[in-house]
Amino acid sequence: MGKQFPSMLPEHEEFIRKQRIFFVGSAPLDAEGHVNLSPKGHDVFRIFSPTEVAYLDLTGSGNETSAHVEENGRLTLMFIAFEGPPMILRLYGTGRVILPEMPEWDELAGHFDLLAGARQIIYSNIHAVKTSCGYSVPFFDYSGERETLQKWAAHKGEQGLQAYRQEKNTVSMDGRMTPIGRSFASADQ
């Protein structure tokens, strides 16, 4: 049976810190728009308080979460126990996107190991925490992080990453401008 809380309890924070993968869910307001669900690996998630979290977002082939958060702020983060006792934990919050050129970047970025390809930080104020049993989730053994993205980003270099982001990360699949897209647009003016 699921339980709901207004903020994270210490045992929720402990559970989150043990997980090696989490999932981010977001959606546009338009019913015709696509719901996005994105897995995140590496040590990129940080807890700042029982109601404040953030993750370092790495360059990828899309930027749906950023576009959705920019439009409506809605964000769900999900953690699942693939090892140990079963549990699913969801954080419901209102997010915002922090780009490297924003004043908050330096303060927040200091909490992360800035991995190659870091493009933005997604920060969220949590208004609800929900746990559920996770009894049907299978066991999976962790064997390590994939190095592919880090090698790809390092090979691209900062100029190559900027070009890639300009091509792939400025607009969502539904045509919504992302904060990165707005940043490129304002730089061109």
Side-chain angles (χ1 to χ4, degrees):
M1 184 64 98
K3 294 181 182 178
Q4 189 166 320
F5 308 85
S7 61
M8 288 181 285
L9 300 176
E11 57 263 37
H12 298 147
E13 294 182 25
E14 182 181 344
F15 173 78
I16 288 169
R17 286 186 178 101
K18 290 179 181 176
Q19 305 317 307
R20 300 176 196 272
I21 185 172
F22 64 99
F23 300 85
V24 179
S26 64
L29 293 176
D30 181 359
E32 297 297 315
H34 291 84
V35 174
N36 186 62
L37 181 62
S38 183
K40 304 294 178 188
H42 298 288
D43 180 24
V44 297
F45 192 82
R46 297 294 181 269
I47 299 169
F48 296 109
S49 80
T51 58
E52 297 172 287
V53 300
Y55 69 90
L56 183 66
D57 188 53
L58 305 177
T59 301
S61 58
N63 202 5
E64 304 306 305
T65 301
S66 180
H68 297 159
V69 166
E70 176 81 356
E71 180 190 52
N72 60 56
R74 297 180 308 161
L75 193 63
T76 301
L77 302 150
M78 184 174 72
F79 301 83
I80 302 171
F82 291 115
E83 302 169 320
M87 179 158 60
I88 299 170
L89 185 143
R90 292 177 181 88
L91 303 175
Y92 298 92
T94 303
R96 59 190 172 100
V97 178
I98 311 296
L99 298 176
E101 62 267 18
M102 295 177 161
E104 305 100 322
W105 176 266
D106 288 336
E107 179 187 338
L108 287 174
H111 295 278
F112 299 93
D113 292 330
L114 290 180
L115 300 172
R119 65 179 171 187
Q120 58 201 356
I121 294 171
I122 308 294
Y123 178 91
S124 185
N125 288 304
I126 305 303
H127 61 261
V129 177
K130 188 171 183 182
T131 61
S132 55
C133 67
Y135 292 165
S136 69
V137 174
F139 286 107
F140 282 99
D141 292 326
Y142 176 77
S143 61
E145 298 288 345
R146 293 179 193 266
E147 296 178 9
T148 310
L149 182 64
Q150 293 301 292
K151 288 179 179 179
W152 172 84
H155 178 73
K156 280 260 186 219
E158 195 51 43
Q159 284 186 324
L161 285 169
Q162 286 295 86
Y164 183 86
R165 290 178 192 134
Q166 191 161 15
E167 178 186 348
K168 303 277 188 178
N169 295 166
T170 58
V171 179
S172 76
M173 66 187 290
D174 295 322
R176 288 170 175 74
M177 181 74 72
T178 69
I180 287 175
R182 290 189 206 302
S183 177
F184 280 121
S186 68
D188 289 343
Q189 295 178 358

